[in-house]
Amino acid sequence: MEKMSRVTTALSGSALTGRTMHCHLDAPANAISVCRDAAQVVVAGRSIFKIYAIEEEQFVEKLNLRVGRKPSLNLSCADVVWHQMDENLLATAATNGVVVTWNLGRPSRNKQDQLFTEHKRTVNKVCFHPTEAHVLLSGSQDGFMKCFDLRRKDSVSTFSGQSESVRDVQFSIRDYFTFASTFENGNVQLWDIRRPDRCERMFTAHNGPVFCCDWHPEDRGWLATGGRDKMVKVWDMTTHRAKEMHCVQTIASVARVKWRPECRHHLATCSMMVDHNIYVWDVRRPFVPAAMFEEHRDVTTGIAWRHPHDPSFLLSGSKDSTLCQHLFRDASQPVERANPEGLCYGLFGDLAFAAKESLVAAESGRKPYMGDRRHPIFFKRKLDPAEPFSGLASSALSVFETESGGGSMSWFVDTAERYALAGRPLAELCDHNAKVARELGRNQVAQTWTMLRIIYCSPGLVSSANLNHSVGKGSSCGLPLMNSFNLKDMGPGLGSETRLDRSKGDTRSDTALLDSSATLITNEDNEETEGSDVPADYLLGDVEGEEDELYPLDTEHVHPEEPEYVLPQEAFPLRHEIVDTPSGPEHLQDKADSPHVSGNEADTASLAPVDSSSSLLSVSHALYDSRLPPDFFSVLVRDMLHFYAEQGDVQMAVSVLIVLGERVRKDIDEQTQEHWYTSYIDLLQRFCLWNVSNEVVKLSTSRAVSCLNQASTTLHVNCSHCKRPMSSRGWVCDRCHRCASMCAVCHHVVKGLFVWCQGCSHGGHLQHIMKWLEGSSHCPAGCGHLCEYS
Amino acid sequence: MAEGENEVRWDGLCSRDSSTRETALEHIRQIVLRKTEYLRSVKETLYRPSDGLSNAVSLDGMNKLLAHLLMLSKRCPFKDVRERSGFILKSVEELGIRIPRPLGHGPSRFIPEKEILQVGSEDAQMHALFADSFAALGRLDNITLVMVFHPQYLESFLKTQHYLLQMDGPLPLHYRHYIGIMAAARHQCSYLVNLHVNDFLHVGGDPKWLNGLENAPQKLQNLGELNKVLAHRPWLITKEHIEGLLKAEEHSWSLAELVHAVVLLTHYHSLASFTFGCGISPEIHCDGGHTFRPPSVSNYCFCDITNGNHNVDEMQVNSAGNISVSDSFFEVEALMEKMKQLQECRDEEEASQEEMASRFEIEKRESMLVFSSDDDEVTPARDVSRHFEDTSYGYKDFSRHGMHVPTFRVQDYCWEDHGYSLVNRLYPDVGQLIDEKFHIAYNLTYNTMAMHKDVDTSMLRRAIWNYIHCMFGIRYDDYDYGEINQLLDRSFKVYIKTVVCTPEKVTKRMYDSFWRQFKHSEKVHVNLLLIEARMQAELLYALRAITRYMT
C-alpha cells in the first residue's frame, strides 16, 4: 500500500507502530491468528502454514511449519489458533478431521506436537481456553465438539450438538466454564465445559448456517453471530432468554465476525462469497458500515485485530493469497459518501423525507416556506424514540401529507373543460378564459389572461380587468405610488421566498431609486431602471396625486400564503390581487435598448389601476400615441409561459400557446412546445379528458403532436354473424355476404354513423333513431326493450 | 365447422373447485360429442378425395382429444374428473368410434404397477401433493407417481420445479421449457422432451425452434456448448465458458439469466437420469403411451413384452429372484455386517495419509472401469436427436481424461457455504429451495434396509453420494474412500455409473440385478440420491466457474 501513514498508538508499556501493508503468500489462506505479543501472525490454508513477523514496514516470513517430504492432509488447515497465554502453542484444524497442536519451542524442524484424530469429518474450528494453558476445544462437521487436555492423548469430553455440523466454537472470555457453539442449521448453543451431557441453552439465531460467533471482550454475555442469511446479530446472553440486541444487515453471507478492541459497539466482518471487503460496523448503526477495507481481490477468509487493546490495526488473510495489515485511519468511510437524505412518495401522494437531524433543524426555521398552497401539507417530525444515541447519526423523518381534497386536481379538470381555445376572436377567448379562471379562484391565471388580452388586442379596449398591486413604502418623502410587479406570490417554495427577502432588503435602496424614477417617469424618461439591481422586482413608478392612494405595504406582516392587499380602486374588478410577470431583467434591457422605451413603460403603467375619477396619467396618453407592436411583448409572454410550465401548470402554457397561436409560437422553440403539448395531453388523458385532449392535439401546430391523432384511426369491425373481421367494407361481410348493420327504423344498411342501444343492441341511422326516440322509448326493432341512449 | 368453437380448454379441470370442474367437463363432453357426430357423418358420406386431408386432420385432433381424456380418466387426482372422462370415453365408444387404451402397465417399466400407488388410493398428504402438481401442470406425470414413494422429497421437488418453470425468474417461460428440452435431449430422454415440447408450445413458444437448436435464437444456441459440457464432463467448465456467454454482444446472457439457465440444465440432466433410472414409461396421452388397436391376443403379448412388464416376464424375474433368494438374503446380511464392521473398526485402525489419498485415486480409477458389460444399442429416440448437436460428445471418465484437471475439493468450494450464496444472490429464493431439496434427499431415511428395521443407513447413503461425486472428480478430505469399495458391490456400481453418466443405457436387467432383496421404494430412494448428487456436482462446477469469472 502506498499510503505511508504511520500510527503510533500508546499502549500500556509497548507502542504499536506500522502502516497499511500487504504481503503475498504462496497460496490462498483459510485462517489467520495473532500471537499474544502482537508481533507475529500465523497464516494457514490448504497448502500454506507459515508464521510472519509483523515489522514496521513489511511482513517477514519467519517460519514455515509445513514440513515433511509429502504434505499430508493433516496440514490442510481449515482453521488455526494461537494460544493467548503461551506464545509457543498453536493448534490447527485439518479438513480431514484431525486436530493438530504445534509447539514452537521444539528444537527440531518439525514443530508438530500432538495429533488428535477423533473427529470423523472436517474440523471447522479450534479454540483455546482464554486462561487455561492446556484446554483446547474443537468443533466439527460431524456435529460433535471435543474438549482436549493437551497433557493427555485423547479428548477429555465430547459434546454432541444433536443437530447438524458445528461451524464455530468460542470460549467465553469472562465466564470460565462457558463456551458457545454455532451450527449449520441456524442454532446457537451454550455449554458448560463441565457438563457434556447437554447444553445449557439453545436458540435459533439465524435462518441457515451460523458461520461464526464472537464474545464481546468487555461486555459479559454479549455474543455476536454471523450467518449465511447475511446478518450479524448481537445477543445478550445474561438474560433468561437470549435477547437480540442489534442486527446488522450485510450484503453477503458473513464468514467471520470480530469485536473491535476498545470500541464497545464496533465489530469487523468479512463475507464468505462475492464480497471481498472487510467492514467495521457500529452495531447501533446497522445500515452503513463505519469503515471499509477494500484491499483484497478475492474473499477474505480470516480477520484478526492485532492487539487486544489496540483498535487501529486489523490483520486479514484472503483467498487471493495475500496477508494484509489494515490501519483504521486508512479505511474508507462509506458514510461520507452516502447520501444523507431520503425521499419517497407514498401511494396516495404523501411524501416522506428523511434527513440528517442538523439539516432538518436548520430547515424548520424556515418552516412557513415549506407550504405549497396548492398542496397543503402537514409537517410531522418524528424522532425515533428508540434511538438511544442521537449523537451518532440520527435523522429526522418528515411526512408530508396531501390534505384530503387539497391534492385533487378538480381545478385542472374544470379548467380543461371550460377553457375556450379557438373559434372566437382572441379578445373573447381571453376574456372567457379569464372568467373561467376567476371562477375557479385562480386569480393569478385570470389576471394573466386579462393581460394577454390587453397586450394583444387593440389597446382601445383597455378598460377593465386589471391588476393592481401596490407595494409602496410610506416613506417620508411622500413618494408616488409604486406599482410593483412583485413576484412575491408567484409560486410555492423557496424561490418566491428569497425574492421576498430580496425585495424586503432592497426596499430601502429602491426607495431612493423610485424617488428619482417617479420624477423621471413624469418626464417620460425611464433611465432609472438601468440602475436597478433588483432583478426579481419589476418596479414601476407611477404618479398618483392623491395621498390616500398610497398603500404602504408592511412587508413584515405579509404572509405569503395569504396576502391581503388592499386595492386602491373600484373601477374594475379588484378581486384579483396580483399578477406575475416573468422576471424582469430581459425586459429591462429591452427597455433600455428600445426606441419605444417610454411607450413600453407607459403601456405597462396602464396596467396600473386606472382611476376613472382621477385624471389619466400622462403616460397613458403616450400609450395611444406610440402604440407598441404586440411583438414587443413576446419576450415577456414567452417568459411567462416558461414560468407556468416550470411551475407545473403546463395547462396554462399550452392554452396560451394555442390561443395566441402565431403571435408567440415563433418565440418558443419547437421542442419545448412539443414537450408542453405532450405533457398536457398526457395529463388530460390521465384525467380521461379525451375530448379536450383531442382538441388540443387538433389545435396544435407541432407536427409531432398533431400526428398523434392520425395514427391508428381505423376501427375494425367484425361481422355480427360469422365473427370474422370485415376487411374490405364496413357494412358488408365478405364471407357470409350479409349486411352487418341494418337500421331498425328504415331497414337499410347503415353506412355512416350507426347508433345502437347497449341493452338490446338494436340500432340504426343516428337521425332515424333520434327521430324515433322522440315518439317512443321502446326499441324500434320491436324487441320490447326500453332503449337507453346517452 | 370452425375450429374456434371446438377449442378444448383443459385448464378448468385443474381447479380445486368442483363446480368449475363440472362445467369444464360438460363443455368438453359437448365438444367431444359434436366431433364424434361430425366424424360419423363424414364416415357415412362417400369419401371424396378433397376431404381426405381435412378429415385426417380432424381425426388426428379427435384422437389427441381422446388420448387426453384417457389420461384424465386414469391419472387425474380428482375422482369426479376421472369418472366423468371415463364416462365420456365410453359414450364415444358406443357411438362407434375407436377409443384408445393405455399401453404398458403403469408409470414405470421397471416397477410393477401393483407396487406403485394407485391414483385414488392416496392419503390426504399425497392427495394434496397430487392436486398441487395437477393444478400447476394440468397432468400428473409418471415421474410424480414414482416419486410419491417418498412424499417428503416429492413435495420439495415439485415446489422447486414449479418455481423454476412457472414463478418469477429472469428467463421468459418458453425459454425455460426450451432449456429443459435441450438438457433432456442431451441424454436422448424422449419422455422429458415430449412433455416439454407440449409445455413449450402451450406457453406460446415458436414451433420453429423445435426443428433443432439452429432454429432457436443465437442466445440459446450459445448455451449449447455449456449444456454439452455440463451434461457429460462438467469438470471442464472454465470461466472462459461463462465469459463467452456473458459477453456475446447482443446475444449475451445476464448473470441472473445464466444462473437460472444453469439450474434448469442441471435439473433436467438429473431428471433425465431419474427417468431412465426408474424406467419411466411414456405418458398416456403422449406418443407411445396409448394405442387405438383393439387388444387382440397376438399384439397383447407383443406390446407387453416390449414394455418389459408382462406377467410372464414378471414371473421370470420373480423366479429368478426365488432361485437366488438365499443368495440375495446373504447380500443384505453381508452389507449390514460390513457397515457394522466399518463403524467399529473405524476408531481402531487408522489409515495413513498416503493411503487415504491413494484410496480416492483408486476409487476414481476403478469407477472408470466399472461399466456395464451389456452395452446393448439403445435405439435413438425419434425426434430427440435434432435438439442437440455433437452427438459423439459423451461422458468421458474423469480420471482418464482429467489428468491435468485438478481434483475439486469440497472443503474449498461447497454448496452450503459458497454455491448457495451465489445462487441465492443471483436468483433469489432458488438457492433456498435447492438447498432444502439437497438436504431432504441426503438425509432421507426410514431406518430400514430391505427386511431390517432400525438400521442407521447414513454410512451407506454417504458412500453413494460420495461415490457419485468421486466420478465427477469431487473429493471430500474427510472421507475414507475405502468405505465405498466395502459397501457398494459391482452390480450396484454399474447401475450408479450408468444412471449418472449415461442414463440412456440403463436397462431393466441392470435395475433388477442390484440389491435384489431391496424394495422398489428403496431403489427409487437410491435414484433420488443419485440425481441430487449429480445435480449438486454439476452445479458446483458451474457455480465455481461463475465465481471465478466474477472475481
Side-chain angles (χ1 to χ4, degrees):
Chain A
M1 291 295 101
E2 297 313 306
K3 297 171 197 158
M4 294 293 286
S5 55
R6 283 144 203 274
V7 167
T8 311
T9 313
L11 291 167
S12 52
S14 70
L16 217 52
T17 59
R19 62 181 185 102
T20 296
M21 59 187 182
H22 74 274
C23 86
H24 187 78
L25 311 170
D26 308 318
N30 275 347
I32 63 169
S33 186
V34 192
C35 179
R36 175 172 73 148
D37 62 6
Q40 293 177 82
V41 59
V42 58
V43 184
R46 173 169 291 282
S47 47
I48 180 172
F49 189 23
K50 283 179 179 175
I51 291 176
Y52 285 85
I54 311 164
E55 297 188 352
E56 206 163 293
E57 294 292 325
Q58 61 192 352
F59 291 105
V60 177
E61 184 180 327
K62 236 185 125 193
L63 189 62
N64 188 357
L65 289 155
R66 211 178 149 77
V67 290
R69 50 200 166 76
K70 212 176 166 202
S72 86
L73 272 179
N74 291 349
L75 288 168
S76 161
C77 304
D79 191 33
V80 64
V81 65
W82 205 319
H83 203 295
Q84 290 305 302
M85 303 296 289
D86 181 353
E87 52 196 56
N88 278 331
L89 194 57
L90 286 127
T92 56
T95 51
N96 63 352
V98 178
V99 176
V100 194
T101 58
W102 308 79
N103 185 358
L104 300 182
R106 277 170 71 124
S108 73
R109 230 177 110 243
N110 190 353
K111 310 285 186 195
Q112 185 172 321
D113 196 21
Q114 265 179 296
L115 210 63
F116 301 100
T117 51
E118 292 188 26
H119 285 294
K120 296 189 189 74
R121 306 281 306 266
T122 300
V123 178
N124 287 318
K125 198 79 188 174
V126 281
C127 176
F128 278 115
H129 195 278
T131 48
E132 275 301 310
H134 304 286
V135 178
L136 175 69
L137 191 66
S138 66
S140 157
Q141 197 76 16
D142 60 14
F144 292 102
M145 295 143 277
K146 284 177 189 286
C147 182
F148 303 96
D149 187 325
L150 300 187
R151 292 163 295 196
R152 292 171 55 172
K153 282 257 168 266
D154 44 16
S155 62
V156 186
S157 45
T158 302
F159 309 87
S160 167
Q162 302 292 349
S163 50
E164 286 178 66
S165 317
V166 186
R167 297 309 298 242
D168 200 357
V169 283
Q170 290 290 340
F171 273 111
S172 167
I173 295 167
R174 297 277 154 161
D175 296 318
Y176 186 89
F177 295 112
T178 311
F179 72 89
S181 55
T182 72
F183 292 84
E184 203 147 81
N185 59 4
N187 286 346
V188 171
Q189 294 180 351
L190 230 58
W191 290 84
D192 187 315
I193 197 91
R194 297 162 297 186
R195 294 196 57 183
D197 52 332
R198 61 179 184 86
C199 64
E200 299 280 291
R201 183 188 287 184
M202 179 166 92
F203 62 95
T204 302
H206 290 265
N207 183 14
V210 191
F211 288 138
C212 52
C213 66
D214 195 31
W215 290 96
H216 197 282
E218 287 143 41
D219 270 304
R220 176 193 296 260
W222 272 30
L223 181 74
T225 58
R228 192 172 71 177
D229 58 0
K230 308 179 189 174
M231 286 200 260
V232 180
K233 291 179 179 173
V234 179
W235 305 88
D236 185 357
M237 310 288 262
T238 50
T239 49
H240 181 60
R241 282 173 61 95
K243 199 171 100 200
E244 188 184 323
M245 307 281 290
H246 299 285
C247 179
V248 175
Q249 179 81 52
T250 66
I251 55 166
S253 49
V254 183
R256 307 264 188 226
V257 56
K258 282 272 179 284
W259 288 100
R260 189 175 174 207
E262 309 286 308
C263 294
R264 193 160 177 266
H265 290 109
H266 282 204
L267 50 79
T269 66
C270 65
S271 57
M272 185 71 91
M273 273 293 283
V274 190
D275 184 22
H276 310 155
N277 299 339
I278 303 164
Y279 301 99
V280 179
W281 302 86
D282 187 314
V283 291
R284 296 163 302 177
R285 192 171 189 185
F287 305 108
V288 190
M292 185 161 94
F293 301 102
E294 300 164 299
E295 277 83 3
H296 288 299
R297 299 274 73 86
D298 202 340
V299 285
T300 310
T301 48
I303 48 176
W305 294 94
R306 191 171 153 192
H307 192 278
H309 294 289
D310 186 340
S312 49
F313 292 89
L314 180 70
L315 297 163
S316 68
S318 159
K319 278 251 157 87
D320 66 0
S321 307
T322 53
L323 174 67
C324 261
Q325 172 170 275
H326 312 275
L327 240 64
F328 206 74
R329 167 179 297 183
D330 296 336
S332 68
Q333 298 192 317
V335 69
E336 280 171 7
R337 278 177 279 149
N339 185 356
E341 281 112 37
L343 188 70
C344 189
Y345 259 115
L347 184 60
F348 299 106
D350 301 350
L351 183 71
F353 173 69
K356 231 182 187 161
E357 181 114 282
S358 52
L359 277 176
V360 176
E363 200 90 343
S364 57
R366 288 186 285 168
K367 203 166 157 187
Y369 308 154
M370 293 191 136
D372 173 350
R373 275 188 300 135
R374 275 181 300 138
H375 302 274
I377 50 170
F378 296 108
F379 180 62
K380 272 191 199 161
R381 246 182 104 209
K382 282 188 203 152
L383 267 176
D384 188 359
E387 205 82 303
F389 50 100
S390 51
L392 188 75
S394 62
S395 308
L397 174 69
S398 322
V399 179
F400 303 93
E401 282 174 354
T402 316
E403 196 179 62
S404 55
S408 90
M409 295 284 280
S410 59
W411 61 270
F412 177 88
V413 179
D414 276 359
T415 314
E417 278 171 347
R418 290 170 60 189
Y419 265 2
L421 298 177
R424 282 192 265 173
L426 177 62
E428 262 178 63
L429 289 176
C430 287
D431 276 345
H432 175 86
N433 293 346
K435 189 164 151 268
V436 169
R438 209 172 303 123
E439 281 166 13
L440 290 169
R442 304 175 70 220
N443 291 323
Q444 184 185 338
V445 172
Q447 204 73 23
T448 311
W449 282 112
T450 316
M451 283 183 63
L452 287 172
R453 187 194 152 191
I454 294 163
I455 293 169
Y456 287 101
C457 300
S458 103
L461 292 169
V462 178
S463 61
S464 61
N466 221 325
L467 81 157
N468 181 9
H469 174 195
S470 61
V471 178
K473 190 85 180 174
S475 54
S476 52
C477 54
L479 261 181
L481 175 77
M482 206 168 48
N483 214 353
S484 167
F485 292 86
N486 197 320
L487 298 178
K488 190 179 295 173
D489 208 339
M490 194 169 68
L494 294 172
S496 62
E497 306 311 328
T498 50
R499 283 161 202 238
L500 183 64
D501 288 349
R502 284 293 293 279
S503 69
K504 217 193 291 177
D506 288 331
T507 321
R508 191 153 298 279
S509 61
D510 289 345
T511 319
L513 203 83
L514 284 167
D515 193 358
S516 59
S517 76
T519 357
L520 287 169
I521 282 168
T522 42
N523 297 335
E524 294 193 18
D525 197 339
N526 66 336
E527 282 164 11
E528 94 287 354
T529 43
E530 285 179 351
S532 171
D533 57 347
V534 192
D537 288 3
Y538 182 74
L539 298 172
L540 262 179
D542 204 348
V543 183
E544 287 287 334
E546 294 158 35
E547 184 64 28
D548 58 331
E549 293 282 349
L550 278 173
Y551 290 91
L553 183 70
D554 190 356
T555 46
E556 302 299 322
H557 296 118
V558 169
H559 297 282
E561 292 89 343
E562 278 190 311
E564 270 190 66
Y565 298 124
V566 188
L567 295 168
Q569 273 309 333
E570 60 285 295
F572 40 82
L574 291 172
R575 276 164 300 175
H576 40 275
E577 66 235 20
I578 212 159
V579 77
D580 49 86
T581 53
S583 54
E586 301 99 16
H587 192 185
L588 292 175
Q589 258 168 8
D590 253 357
K591 238 183 333 187
D593 300 340
S594 166
H596 296 285
V597 170
S598 56
N600 169 31
E601 191 60 36
D603 193 33
T604 325
S606 74
L607 304 176
V610 181
D611 190 347
S612 56
S613 64
S614 66
S615 59
L616 275 174
L617 303 169
S618 54
V619 286
S620 296
H621 292 295
L623 176 74
Y624 292 96
D625 299 337
S626 54
R627 275 188 55 201
L628 278 168
D631 268 4
F632 187 79
F633 298 99
S634 55
V635 178
L636 192 71
V637 173
R638 184 195 69 196
D639 292 342
M640 178 207 60
L641 292 184
H642 276 290
F643 166 74
Y644 274 113
E646 249 138 60
Q647 259 205 327
D649 190 0
V650 76
Q651 181 179 48
M652 183 66 185
V654 173
S655 302
V656 172
L657 203 58
I658 292 173
V659 168
L660 296 183
E662 287 305 325
R663 297 177 186 88
V664 285
R665 196 168 295 135
K666 57 186 180 303
D667 295 311
I668 298 163
D669 71 279
E670 195 73 10
Q671 225 171 346
T672 317
Q673 284 190 39
E674 198 183 309
H675 181 62
W676 290 350
Y677 272 119
T678 47
S679 337
Y680 186 41
I681 289 163
D682 185 41
L683 270 175
L684 288 171
Q685 288 176 350
R686 278 175 198 219
F687 284 99
C688 301
L689 297 163
W690 312 110
N691 289 340
V692 185
S693 114
N694 205 40
E695 193 190 351
V696 170
V697 171
K698 207 167 102 193
L699 290 170
S700 79
T701 46
S702 161
R703 188 180 307 156
V705 176
S706 51
C707 72
L708 276 180
N709 62 1
Q710 305 297 312
S712 65
T713 50
T714 320
L715 192 66
H716 296 280
V717 192
N718 282 7
C719 172
S720 57
H721 299 289
C722 65
K723 309 279 192 304
R724 306 275 169 178
M726 299 199 286
S727 44
S728 56
R729 277 158 301 176
W731 54 87
V732 177
C733 176
D734 293 333
R735 221 169 277 265
C736 54
H737 307 291
R738 284 166 78 168
C739 294
S741 39
M742 305 286 275
C743 176
V745 181
C746 67
H747 299 286
H748 282 101
V749 182
V750 186
K751 296 186 180 178
L753 284 174
F754 182 77
V755 62
W756 71 97
C757 167
Q758 307 260 315
C760 64
S761 70
H762 291 117
H765 292 106
L766 180 61
Q767 298 295 326
H768 292 167
I769 295 291
M770 277 167 75
K771 215 176 203 170
W772 176 271
L773 287 174
E774 284 167 17
S776 161
S777 62
H778 283 275
C779 179
C783 70
H785 186 255
L786 279 166
C787 291
E788 286 176 61
Y789 293 88
S790 56
Chain B
M1 183 167 129
E3 291 299 309
E5 289 174 37
N6 289 321
E7 198 65 54
V8 185
R9 306 191 58 81
W10 302 104
D11 33 359
L13 296 178
C14 302
S15 165
R16 273 162 217 272
D17 175 33
S18 62
S19 60
T20 316
R21 294 199 300 264
E22 182 83 10
T23 19
L25 271 171
E26 181 57 30
H27 179 67
I28 291 166
R29 195 181 69 89
Q30 280 171 6
I31 291 170
V32 171
L33 291 183
R34 213 161 34 230
K35 285 200 174 187
T36 314
E37 283 302 320
Y38 176 74
L39 279 176
R40 266 160 56 111
S41 67
V42 167
K43 231 185 231 171
E44 278 159 18
T45 56
L46 285 170
Y47 275 91
R48 277 177 297 167
S50 60
D51 270 3
L53 187 69
S54 72
N55 202 16
V57 168
S58 67
L59 194 64
D60 192 41
M62 182 67 187
N63 284 349
K64 271 195 182 142
L65 193 67
L66 291 178
H68 201 121
L69 274 174
L70 177 69
M71 184 274 281
L72 286 175
S73 73
K74 298 278 178 200
R75 296 287 159 80
C76 182
F78 303 115
K79 192 165 174 240
D80 52 342
V81 177
R82 281 199 305 273
E83 283 170 355
R84 280 298 287 275
S85 344
F87 176 72
I88 294 171
L89 278 175
K90 203 170 269 174
S91 58
V92 169
E93 192 177 22
E94 279 160 9
L95 288 167
I97 302 288
R98 189 172 291 167
I99 62 159
R101 62 191 180 81
L103 267 178
H105 287 282
S108 164
R109 287 181 287 119
F110 295 171
I111 308 168
E113 196 174 9
K114 60 179 185 290
E115 297 271 338
I116 292 175
L117 185 82
Q118 293 295 305
V119 179
S121 59
E122 70 269 12
D123 63 20
Q125 183 204 3
M126 291 175 182
H127 181 78
L129 278 174
F130 281 171
D132 280 344
S133 168
F134 191 77
L137 298 164
R139 59 166 189 260
L140 202 60
D141 50 27
N142 290 338
I143 289 182
T144 309
L145 284 172
V146 173
M147 274 189 189
V148 84
F149 275 123
H150 307 282
Q152 195 195 1
Y153 173 85
L154 177 64
E155 185 178 6
S156 167
F157 173 85
L158 289 176
K159 208 161 79 181
T160 312
Q161 183 166 269
H162 182 242
Y163 195 94
L164 286 177
L165 290 176
Q166 274 140 327
M167 301 296 278
D168 291 342
L171 287 173
L173 292 180
H174 61 289
Y175 266 55
R176 305 182 192 187
H177 288 292
Y178 196 79
I179 291 170
I181 295 171
M182 282 169 72
R186 258 324 320 168
H187 285 308
Q188 301 159 39
C189 180
S190 53
Y191 170 80
L192 286 175
V193 170
N194 280 337
L195 274 187
H196 284 278
V197 163
N198 288 345
D199 290 345
F200 173 75
L201 295 172
H202 185 73
V203 297
D206 184 350
K208 266 193 232 125
W209 296 9
L210 296 175
N211 294 333
L213 191 56
E214 66 277 4
N215 296 300
Q218 185 62 40
K219 192 169 164 175
L220 283 169
Q221 288 184 38
N222 289 349
L223 196 66
E225 174 71 13
L226 184 71
N227 180 22
K228 189 174 80 180
V229 182
L230 205 54
H232 304 298
R233 299 168 207 174
W235 52 89
L236 295 180
I237 292 175
T238 57
K239 71 174 185 184
E240 281 71 31
H241 285 111
I242 306 299
E243 195 165 352
L245 287 168
L246 294 175
K247 293 192 175 152
E249 322 246 295
E250 77 263 41
H251 305 299
S252 56
W253 291 74
S254 75
L255 265 175
E257 286 173 336
L258 184 65
V259 167
H260 193 171
V262 163
V263 173
L264 278 170
L265 287 175
T266 53
H267 179 82
Y268 280 101
H269 290 153
S270 46
L271 203 53
S273 284
F274 184 84
T275 310
F276 287 111
C278 292
I280 302 291
S281 352
E283 292 293 332
I284 291 177
H285 64 287
C286 290
D287 287 346
H290 59 269
T291 179
F292 283 88
R293 271 178 306 184
S296 71
V297 180
S298 58
N299 60 36
Y300 182 68
C301 289
F302 168 74
C303 50
D304 281 5
I305 287 169
T306 51
N307 279 290
N309 239 331
H310 191 273
N311 285 343
V312 177
D313 197 14
E314 198 60 45
M315 276 161 64
Q316 278 170 351
V317 173
N318 278 350
S319 61
N322 283 333
I323 293 162
S324 60
V325 80
S326 54
D327 204 18
S328 55
F329 179 76
F330 288 127
E331 215 174 51
V332 182
E333 293 295 301
L335 183 56
M336 289 192 50
E337 189 58 37
K338 269 177 193 161
M339 282 169 65
K340 209 167 163 191
Q341 271 175 13
L342 281 171
Q343 199 80 43
E344 282 163 359
C345 71
R346 198 189 249 164
D347 303 323
E348 304 160 13
E349 171 251 355
E350 266 312 315
S352 74
Q353 290 309 307
E354 289 75 21
E355 203 186 320
M356 294 291 268
S358 66
R359 276 179 189 172
F360 175 72
E361 298 302 326
I362 290 167
E363 205 50 55
K364 228 162 68 178
R365 218 166 304 132
E366 275 188 359
S367 78
M368 169 187 106
L369 303 171
V370 167
F371 236 114
S372 57
S373 47
D374 43 280
D375 263 1
D376 7 54
E377 209 42 57
V378 181
T379 41
R382 187 171 57 90
D383 288 347
V384 171
S385 55
R386 66 175 177 219
H387 290 298
F388 65 99
E389 73 243 310
D390 195 5
T391 41
S392 59
Y393 195 94
Y395 176 83
K396 284 286 180 315
D397 292 291
F398 177 78
S399 40
R400 198 189 308 161
H401 286 257
M403 292 309 177
H404 53 285
V405 182
T407 301
F408 188 113
R409 305 259 185 179
V410 167
Q411 268 73 13
D412 292 344
Y413 197 101
C414 66
W415 165 257
E416 283 80 13
D417 294 4
H418 305 93
Y420 170 89
S421 302
L422 187 65
V423 172
N424 232 22
R425 184 186 184 88
L426 295 170
Y427 185 13
D429 298 344
V430 164
Q432 190 65 45
L433 288 170
I434 302 177
D435 192 42
E436 260 174 47
K437 191 155 68 89
F438 285 152
H439 263 262
I440 291 173
Y442 190 88
N443 293 327
L444 187 70
T445 181
Y446 307 99
N447 292 319
T448 57
M449 264 176 77
M451 54 296 232
H452 299 276
K453 289 200 174 74
D454 298 323
V455 190
D456 180 9
T457 56
S458 59
M459 184 182 278
L460 191 56
R461 283 181 281 125
R462 192 170 169 215
I464 296 170
W465 187 277
N466 287 1
Y467 180 61
I468 295 155
H469 279 189
C470 173
M471 286 189 296
F472 285 99
I474 297 173
R475 178 173 177 191
Y476 291 79
D477 281 347
D478 52 1
Y479 188 67
D480 175 8
Y481 284 85
E483 280 183 26
I484 290 177
N485 247 353
Q486 307 265 327
L487 297 175
L488 314 183
D489 60 18
R490 193 182 151 78
S491 58
F492 190 29
K493 281 184 177 174
V494 168
Y495 179 74
I496 293 178
K497 172 125 191 189
T498 318
V499 169
V500 170
C501 301
T502 50
E504 59 276 13
K505 291 188 179 147
V506 176
T507 60
K508 181 158 165 56
R509 198 176 337 153
M510 283 185 211
Y511 177 84
D512 288 333
S513 63
F514 83 95
W515 279 13
R516 270 168 289 183
Q517 210 56 33
F518 284 74
K519 298 191 198 81
H520 285 291
S521 73
E522 287 170 314
K523 293 194 174 185
V524 173
H525 184 175
V526 167
N527 267 287
L528 298 182
L529 271 176
L530 301 190
I531 64 170
E532 292 304 328
R534 175 181 183 189
M535 181 172 178
Q536 193 178 76
E538 286 185 19
L539 266 180
L540 280 176
Y541 276 111
L543 293 174
R544 187 178 65 165
I546 293 175
T547 309
R548 284 187 175 162
Y549 166 80
M550 286 167 73
T551 51

